[in-house]
């Protein structure tokens, strides 16, 4: 005798199977530190811990950190700040990083709009302190992009600097933009004040 299952149960089982197949567990990483390091703004009280995608890792003065997960190792110099995903690293301020990746990886500099696309099996170092972005590729190829514009590729072993793409240059640009906006606002305010100075006062206006 062949047992018949309700159609609704069969559909529900299929949907659950698809959901489980598409759900990807968060990929934890081991974190080893030397010196003062914060995770999500909290100072680590131990030399080793576990972090997860989206955790914000900040190294302090005279500190260093090593983030390792399958296929990716990230070394952070002092005064660096990142968050990581399986195939992406977001850099949140002036930082110096060394990255070893078995798969393609993206490094996005949030302060300046630059982005690096590294090939699989790549080893490279990035430093965006100062006015320039410096990329040293030991193995593989790193493509440098600013906004939507592709700038160059750095294949190992070689080093290349990109003028004006460092974090201090980005800060200067933001300051200049803010200054321009403030200048425009000041000009508008001055115009309004000039107009108002030529208007008669309320007491000088006689009713008709």
């Amino acid at each position: 005798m062949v047992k018949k299952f309700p159609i609704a149960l069969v559909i529900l089982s299929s949907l659950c199977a698809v959901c489980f197949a598409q759900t990807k567990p968060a990929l934890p990483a081991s974190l080893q530190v030397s010196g003062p390091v914060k995770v999500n703004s909290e100072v680590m009280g131990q030399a080793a811990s576990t972090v997860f995608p989206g955790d914000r890792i900040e190294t302090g003065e005279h500190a260093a950190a090593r983030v390792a997960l399958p296929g990716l190792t990230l070394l952070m110099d002092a005064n660096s700040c990142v968050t990581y995903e399986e195939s992406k690293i977001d850099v949140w301020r002036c930082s110096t990083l060394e990255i070893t990746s078995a798969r393609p990886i993206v490094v996005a500099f949030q302060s300046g709009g630059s982005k690096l696309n590294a090939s699989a099996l790549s080893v490279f170092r990035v430093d965006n302190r100062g006015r320039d972005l410096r990329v040293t590729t030991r193995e593989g190829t790193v493509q440098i992009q600013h906004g939507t514009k592709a700038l160059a590729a750095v294949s190992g072993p070689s080093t290349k600097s990109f003028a004006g793409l460092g974090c201090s240059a980005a800060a200067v640009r933001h300051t200049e933009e803010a200054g321009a906006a403030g200048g425009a606002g000041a000009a508008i305010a001055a115009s309004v004040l000039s107009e108002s100075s030529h208007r008669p006062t309320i007491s000088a206006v006689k009713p008709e």
Side-chain angles (χ1 to χ4, degrees):
M1 180 179 177
V2 179
K3 293 183 178 180
K4 294 183 179 180
F5 294 95
I7 294 176
L9 182 60
V10 174
I11 293 173
L12 181 60
S13 300
S14 300
L15 288 174
C16 288
V18 170
C19 289
F20 281 119
Q22 290 181 346
T23 301
K24 198 172 186 179
L27 198 60
S30 65
L31 174 64
Q32 296 174 309
V33 306
S34 172
V37 174
K38 293 181 181 180
V39 177
N40 298 328
S41 300
E42 293 187 9
V43 178
M44 282 189 59
Q46 52 193 7
S49 184
T50 300
V51 290
F52 294 87
D55 284 345
R56 190 181 182 99
I57 306 162
E58 302 175 70
T59 53
E61 192 75 27
H62 307 301
R66 179 180 184 271
V67 182
L69 59 153
L72 177 64
T73 301
L74 167 65
L75 303 178
M76 302 173 60
D77 282 5
N79 298 314
S80 299
C81 181
V82 304
T83 55
Y84 84 92
E85 296 174 17
E86 184 178 355
S87 298
K88 185 183 180 188
I89 296 168
D90 287 302
V91 184
W92 295 97
R93 67 175 187 222
C94 299
S95 299
T96 304
L97 314 169
E98 181 144 351
I99 299 157
T100 302
S101 184
R103 56 182 168 269
I105 186 107
V106 173
V107 180
F109 297 93
Q110 299 299 324
S111 61
S114 300
K115 184 167 66 174
L116 310 182
N117 296 286
S119 65
L121 303 176
S122 58
V123 180
F124 59 102
R125 183 177 179 84
V126 295
D127 185 347
N128 73 330
R129 302 180 195 275
R131 289 192 60 84
D132 302 339
L133 168 64
R134 185 178 175 87
V135 180
T136 299
T137 305
R138 295 187 171 87
E139 297 179 27
T141 300
V142 178
Q143 299 274 350
I144 291 81
Q145 181 178 330
H146 184 63
T148 58
K149 183 180 179 181
L151 299 181
V154 183
S155 297
S158 62
T159 299
K160 189 171 179 62
S161 292
F162 297 87
L165 297 188
C167 65
S168 67
V172 169
R173 284 197 300 272
H174 292 161
T175 302
E176 288 174 348
E177 288 169 4
I188 292 169
S191 173
V192 170
L193 288 172
S194 175
E195 262 184 52
S196 63
S197 66
H198 289 84
R199 292 174 189 156
T201 61
I202 293 177
S203 58
V205 179
K206 296 179 180 179
E208 295 180 0

